[in-house]
Amino acid sequence: NQLKPSWKDRLKALRNLPVFFQLVWAASPWMTLANIGMRLLRSAIPISVLYVGRLIIDEAVFLNKDHGNGPTTHLWSLISIEFALALIDDALGRCISLLDSLLGDLFGKMSSIRIMEHAAKLDLEQFEDPVFYDKLERARQQTTGRTVLLSQVLSQVQDMITMAFLAAGLIVFNPWLILLLFISILPSFIGESHFNDQTYAMNRRQTPERRELDYLRYLGASDETAKELKIFNLSGFIIDKFRTLADKFYMSSRKIAINRSVWGTGFTLLGSVGYYSAYVYIIFEMIQGRITIGQLTFLAGSFRQLKSLMESLLTRFTAVSQGAIYLSDFFEFFEIQPRIVSGIRARPFPNPILEGFVFENVGFKYQQAEAWASRNLNFTLKVGEKIALVGENGAGKTTLVKLLARLYEPTEGRILLDGHDLKEYDLNSLRRNIGVIFQDYLRYQMRVSDNIAVGNIDEKENKPRIVSSAEQSLAADLVARLPAGYEQMLGKRFQEGIELSGGEWQKVALARAYMRDAQVLILDEPTSALDARAEFEVFQRFAALTEGKTAVLISHRFSTVRMADRILVLQHGRLMESGTHEALIAKNGMYAELFNLQAKGYQ
C-alpha cells in the first residue's frame, strides 16, 4: 500500500466516486442538483460565445466593405447577445463556486460526524494500536481534503461537455487537428500522473511520522506542557526534533516539486509546439481564402480553448483518480469493525444483580504482544461486595476492571454474571450499569456542570442532581469559590476558563460517580491527588455511595483499601493473594510486605 499506485489501482479507485457522490447527495440533495444543472448550462457558453464572436466579426467585415452604409442593427444585437452570455457565465461561475464551497463545508461536517460516530463503536483496544491510528489520521485528512474532489469531478463533466461542443466544430473543419492536439499534450498528462503518484506514496509512507510531527507541535506550544518544558528547559530539544523531522519532509517534497517543475516545462513545450502548428495551419487556410476572418477567429478560439480544456481534463483526471485513491483511505476506516458487540438476542443487564461476577481462568493479551497482561484469574465478586485491587504498577489492576466493564474481551477463559457469560448481555445495558472513574480521567475544557454531568449525560439538565453529586464528592465548596459557579468554564484553552489543581479536578471527576445510577462502581485511584483530610472525608461518603452496590476499588494507599470486604493482590497479571486486611497481614505474604513498606514511610 505504500508503493506508487498503478493505473490498475487508479481505475479501481474510481469505484469510490459513486459512493462519494452518495455522501455528497446526502449532505444536500437540492444543492447537488443545482450545482449539476448550472454546470450543464455553463458548459454550452464557451461555444456560444465563440460562435457569436464569429458572426460579429463577419458582420463587421461586411459593414467595413460597405463603408458603414449598411444597417448596424444586427451587429448591435449580436454584441448584446455576447455581453449577456458573458454576464450569465460570470453569474453561473459565482453560483457554482458558492455551491461548491457550501457543499464542501456540509460534506466536511457530515464526514467528521461519521468518523466520530464510527470511532465510538470501536473497541478500546483498537485505539491502542498505532496502525489503527494511522488509518484514523488518514480518514480525518479526507474530511477536508476530499471536498476539492467534488468540484474536480463536476468540473470534469462540465469540461467534457464543452469539449464535445468545441470538437464538433473542429471535426467539420479538420479532424486531424484534434489528434495532433491530443498527442502533443499526452506527455504532460503522463508526467503529471507520475509525480502525483510519487506524492501519494510519500504522504502515505509518512503518516506515522506526520502524527509524530503533530505531537511535537502540540508539545512545543500547549498549556498542558508549558510548565514542564520550562522547568526542564526542553523547548530547544522539542524544537530540534521538530526541525529535523520537518526538514526531512521538506527535502522529500522539494525533490518531487523540482522534478515536477523541470519535466513539466519540457512537456509544456511539446504541447505548445503542437498547438502553434495547428494555429499556423488555420491562418494559412484563411490566407488562401478557404475560410473567412470570422471562421478563423472561431476555429482559433475553439482550438485554443480545446487545448486548454484537454490539458485541464487530463491533468484533472490525474487529480480525480488520485483523489479517488485517497478516498480509499476514508472508506478503509469505516471497514474497521468492533469485535466487542452485543449479540443478536442479547440479554438485558440483570436488575438487580442476584449473584455477582465469576472470573473463570480469565487471561488477556494485547494484540501482537508476547507477554500476557493478565493470566489465570479465578475469583468471585459477589453482589453487594466491595473488593480492593492492590499491587505494584503494571500488576494488571486496570486491565482487570476493563475486562469487567467489557472494554476488553478475555483472550482466554470467561467472565460470568449471574451464571451467564458477560458476552451474552446487551453491551449498552451493561455499560449503563457499570460506573467507572479511571485514574487518567478526562479534564473536559467545558463548564463545571458539564464536567460533572458526563458521568450520566442523560441527566445533564438535572441541576439538583449535579449539585448533589458535587456536594457528595466535596466539589461543592470548590464550585462556590468560582466566579460563575456551575457555569464556570474550566481549563485554559478557552476564554475566561479557570485551571484547577490536581486535587480539585479529582473532586470534580469523583462527582461523576455520584451522577451515575449504576449497580457496579469501579474507582481507579479515586483519591491519589487529595490531601489526607479530603481523602478521609471522601471515603466516609464513599461508604454511603456504595451502599447496596457492588464496588471495585483500585488504590496504592493501604489506608483506603482496608474498608473493602476483600482485598485481591495482583502481580504481573496474576492473582497472588485474596482476603481481608487482617487475614492478609496475618499471612505475612506479599500484601503484608507492601503494607509494611508503605507504613515505614509514615514513621
Side-chain angles (χ1 to χ4, degrees), residues 437 506 510 523-530 538-539 553-555:
I437 302 296
Q506 193 151 38
L510 273 171
L523 300 183
D524 185 355
E525 295 288 354
T527 61
S528 59
L530 300 181
V538 163
F539 275 103
L553 171 66
I554 299 176
S555 180

Side-chain angles (χ1 to χ4, degrees), residues 35-291:
N35 197 323
I36 293 171
M38 288 182 182
R39 287 180 179 277
L40 289 173
L41 185 60
R42 199 182 185 204
S43 65
I45 288 181
I47 188 69
S48 302
V49 170
L50 286 171
Y51 184 75
V52 173
R54 170 204 163 178
L55 296 178
I56 290 172
I57 290 174
D58 283 344
E59 182 69 13
V61 169
F62 173 77
L63 291 172
N64 178 262
K65 289 180 180 179
D66 201 26
H67 302 291
N69 294 323
T72 59
T73 305
H74 184 53
L75 177 63
W76 299 123
S77 298
L78 291 171
I79 292 173
S80 298
I81 292 172
E82 187 175 54
F83 178 66
L85 288 171
L87 292 178
I88 293 171
D89 184 61
D90 181 71
L92 287 173
R94 292 179 185 277
C95 290
I96 289 168
S97 296
L98 174 62
L99 289 175
D100 282 351
S101 175
L102 295 176
L103 269 174
D105 289 344
L106 286 174
F107 176 79
K109 180 193 74 173
M110 188 180 71
S111 300
S112 296
I113 291 173
R114 285 194 69 209
I115 288 175
M116 288 189 285
E117 287 176 341
H118 188 68
K121 300 174 185 176
L122 300 178
D123 302 332
L124 177 63
E125 191 181 357
Q126 290 170 311
F127 280 89
E128 297 166 344
D129 178 11
V131 175
F132 167 83
Y133 258 106
D134 288 343
K135 292 181 178 180
L136 175 58
E137 180 62 24
R138 286 194 289 264
R140 282 173 176 162
Q141 291 171 356
Q142 306 318 310
T143 60
T144 53
R146 292 313 99 211
T147 55
V148 178
L149 184 62
L150 167 67
S151 179
Q152 289 175 334
V153 174
L154 292 177
S155 295
Q156 197 81 331
V157 175
Q158 177 184 325
D159 287 352
M160 288 175 68
I161 296 172
T162 302
M163 280 179 58
F165 285 126
L166 294 172
L170 287 173
I171 287 173
V172 172
F173 175 67
N174 191 329
W176 291 104
L177 292 181
I178 297 176
L179 181 61
L180 172 65
L181 185 61
F182 180 77
I183 293 173
S184 65
I185 65 174
L186 193 59
S188 179
F189 165 63
I190 295 173
E192 195 67 23
S193 300
H194 170 74
F195 291 115
N196 279 340
D197 291 345
Q198 284 194 331
T199 301
Y200 171 78
M202 179 187 69
N203 288 338
R204 189 172 179 87
R205 186 171 55 250
Q206 292 176 343
T207 299
E209 292 170 306
R210 289 192 181 278
R211 284 199 296 109
E212 183 182 354
L213 196 70
D214 290 338
Y215 177 64
L216 290 171
R217 187 182 289 113
Y218 157 76
L219 283 180
S222 167
D223 61 328
E224 296 178 14
T225 62
K227 61 179 181 293
E228 191 149 325
L229 261 61
K230 287 181 181 297
I231 202 71
F232 293 127
N233 196 24
L234 293 178
S235 292
F237 169 71
I238 299 297
I239 291 170
D240 286 344
K241 285 181 72 69
F242 180 88
R243 182 183 291 112
T244 301
L245 201 54
D247 285 346
K248 178 184 175 182
F249 292 154
Y250 169 74
M251 293 306 295
S252 299
S253 300
R254 178 174 173 266
K255 181 180 178 181
I256 294 176
I258 290 174
N259 287 336
R260 184 195 294 265
S261 179
V262 171
W263 284 96
T265 301
F267 293 145
T268 301
L269 179 62
L270 286 176
S272 298
V273 169
Y275 166 70
Y276 280 98
S277 297
Y279 190 46
V280 168
Y281 174 76
I282 294 171
I283 292 174
F284 181 77
E285 290 291 287
M286 190 274 295
I287 293 173
Q288 296 297 314
R290 297 189 183 97
I291 58 175

